[in-house]
Structures are given as structure tokens and as C-alpha cells.
Amino acid sequence: MFSRIYQFKTTNLIPNQGSIGCARYSAPSKSFKGDVDTKGKKIKRLQKVQEKKLFAKEDDAVHKDGKHHNPEKEDHPIRKVVVAESLTAGKIVDLLASHNNAGSFFLGGMTVYTLQHKNAMLGVNRDHAGKVDCVSPKVACEMADGLFKSFHLTKKDKDQLPEVAVAVTGFAKTEGVKDLEPHAYYCITTIEGKKRQGKVAEGLKGKNRNTVRRIVAERVYLETCKAIGLKPHAGMFQVEIKLNRFEIDIVRCGSEAQ
């Protein structure tokens, strides 16, 4: 709010006599609703900076032979994977572990919700993460990179070292923050340094918390399958798999939870 001083002339009942009075009028603020720099706008602004930096460097890490493989077949070439989840809290791990013979490619995972634990366990930068409520492309990539250190083993166990690390972080509900809708960022990193990054936002608006978490988990799981060469549970997600082009077209990720 800002104030202006207005002068006005008051006319008395006695002719030809008047006096100058003074009144303070508080005018409405010039800052319209759309101009307010809300917490949500600040977060989105920082996220966009990271999107330009990181998405531009994407190497699109996919399995080297461009195929999906059945983990039940002997000597399959599916790459060993580890997972760090925030928003999805174990749902991606559950999808990977649901495969028969999952132990041949899935090494383990962790759920890290708080900034403090993301920093302590995965080396996420506290300053940046604090400014974006732990949701940005940079945070997702730092989580993925930190997994290689967390799951490091001695040389004698090198056959159980991770080859691919997957991380996801996001907002399931945003009622308390204006100008934000549910969304998530994921980062899939290979031991060679290639990355597969993305943002999941489409189809999340208006969904309840657990529906958002499930949809994000399913989409990141499908992207993980591309990176490690795993044949996904196609029937679970109503997806069309084009093996010749090594693409997974998401028709609809599950049915909406009631």
C-alpha cells in the first residue's frame, strides 16, 4: 500500500467563507495479483534456468543394443540399476522388483524425502535444493550421481556395481504454494556419464496425491526400461511398445485412482 495526500476545500454554511482541509487517502497498491513474485514463481524461475542448462546436455542414454530384454533369459544383457526416490517413495523400486529374476539387474534403492538426507546420503547441494524445495533438474541429477557413490563396492565385487542410476523428485500436491502445479523431474545416468532427463507434468493437474505419485512412477519406470534394456510390464500400463524403433509410446498410464 502507498499513501497520497489530497487537499480539498470545505464550504461552510456562512457565505464567502471556506477553509482548506487535509485528508489522507490510502490508494490501492499498484501490484496486481499477476505481478506478485510468489514462492511458486520463484521456484519455476530457478527450475527453468536448470532446464536450459541440463536438458541441453542430454546424451539420451539408452541401452547399447537398442532392444528390450527378458530378465528370465539366461545371460541377458540388462544393465544393473539403482534408484533414489523422493516423490514416488519406493514405487519405481516396486515396479522393478516385480520382475521375475529381478535380482539379476536390480541392485537396490532408497527413499530420501528431506533436504538434509538428500545432502547427507546423495551429496545434493543444500543451497540450490533449499531454494527450489528440492525439486529441479539439478537436484534429480545430483541424486542420481550420488547413487554411484552410495552403492560403491570393492573391486572384488565389481560384478555387482551399478551401471545405471535413476532418481526422481517432484511435487505431488501444491495447495500451499501459488503458481505451481504437480510435476516431477527425473534423471537417469549411466556409469559412462550419459544422461536421460525429463519432466513429468502432463496429465497430473487436478489429480489426487497418490494418483500423481503412481503416474510419475510408471513413466519414469518406462524410461528406466529404455536405459537398462528391460522389457517392461506392458499390460500394466496400456502402452504400445515398438521394439524395432526402441520406443515406448505411453497411451495412458494406468487408471485414475478413486
Side-chain angles (χ1 to χ4, degrees):
M1 300 290 285
F2 62 94
S3 298
R4 290 175 179 157
I5 302 298
Y6 289 90
Q7 277 194 337
F8 63 94
K9 186 174 182 179
T10 59
T11 303
N12 294 332
L13 295 177
I14 302 175
N16 301 322
Q17 289 188 0
S19 62
I20 298 297
C22 205
R24 183 174 293 274
Y25 168 68
S26 294
S29 172
K30 288 185 178 180
S31 297
F32 296 100
K33 184 177 179 180
D35 296 327
V36 177
D37 197 15
T38 63
K39 179 180 179 179
K41 287 185 177 180
K42 291 177 181 178
I43 289 175
K44 286 197 291 187
R45 193 161 57 242
L46 290 169
Q47 287 176 338
K48 287 186 181 297
V49 172
Q50 293 302 319
E51 286 177 13
K52 290 179 180 179
K53 286 182 179 180
L54 299 180
F55 289 175
K57 297 179 180 180
E58 183 175 345
D59 292 317
D60 197 29
V62 296
H63 193 271
K64 58 184 179 182
D65 66 8
K67 296 179 181 178
H68 295 93
H69 300 275
N70 187 336
E72 294 184 66
K73 291 186 177 181
E74 190 174 355
D75 296 327
H76 66 73
I78 300 171
R79 308 198 79 184
K80 292 179 171 59
V81 62
V82 289
V83 183
E85 300 178 69
S86 184
L87 164 72
T88 50
K91 289 185 175 293
I92 299 171
V93 164
D94 184 59
L95 288 167
L96 292 170
S98 67
H99 286 268
N100 290 331
N101 202 28
S104 65
F105 66 87
F106 176 54
L107 302 182
M110 62 173 71
T111 295
V112 278
Y113 252 43
T114 69
L115 184 157
Q116 292 84 354
H117 287 91
K118 286 182 174 73
N119 170 258
M121 301 174 72
L122 297 170
V124 169
N125 182 280
R126 291 179 67 113
D127 182 54
H128 170 74
K131 293 176 181 177
V132 295
D133 278 6
C134 293
V135 180
S136 78
K138 178 180 174 67
V139 172
C141 285
E142 288 178 342
M143 288 171 65
D145 291 340
L147 279 168
F148 285 115
K149 295 179 180 179
S150 294
F151 282 81
H152 178 73
L153 298 172
T154 60
K155 290 184 179 180
K156 68 177 182 179
D157 294 315
K158 61 181 180 180
D159 61 326
Q160 291 300 312
L161 289 173
E163 299 171 280
V164 178
V166 180
V168 60
T169 183
F171 294 112
K173 298 296 284 185
T174 57
E175 294 99 333
V177 184
K178 292 183 179 180
D179 303 307
L180 271 184
E181 297 294 344
H183 64 279
Y185 293 100
Y186 67 86
C187 181
I188 302 172
T189 303
T190 70
I191 194 66
E192 295 84 13
K194 292 186 176 182
K195 294 184 184 297
R196 186 177 190 84
Q197 300 167 245
K199 180 179 182 179
V200 181
E202 186 177 354
L204 303 184
K205 186 177 181 179
K207 299 291 193 301
N208 66 53
R209 173 182 173 80
N210 286 327
T211 299
V212 169
R213 292 174 58 238
R214 193 195 69 248
I215 291 174
V216 171
E218 290 172 356
R219 294 185 184 176
V220 177
Y221 160 76
L222 292 173
E223 293 299 323
T224 300
C225 288
K226 294 179 185 179
I228 66 176
L230 173 66
K231 185 176 181 179
H233 294 301
M236 295 173 62
F237 314 104
Q238 299 183 19
V239 298
E240 178 185 356
I241 303 174
K242 301 177 181 179
L243 291 175
N244 59 324
R245 293 171 54 198
F246 198 58
E247 292 181 356
I248 300 176
D249 295 334
I250 301 174
V251 178
R252 183 170 64 88
C253 282
S255 59
E256 182 178 347
Q258 299 298 319

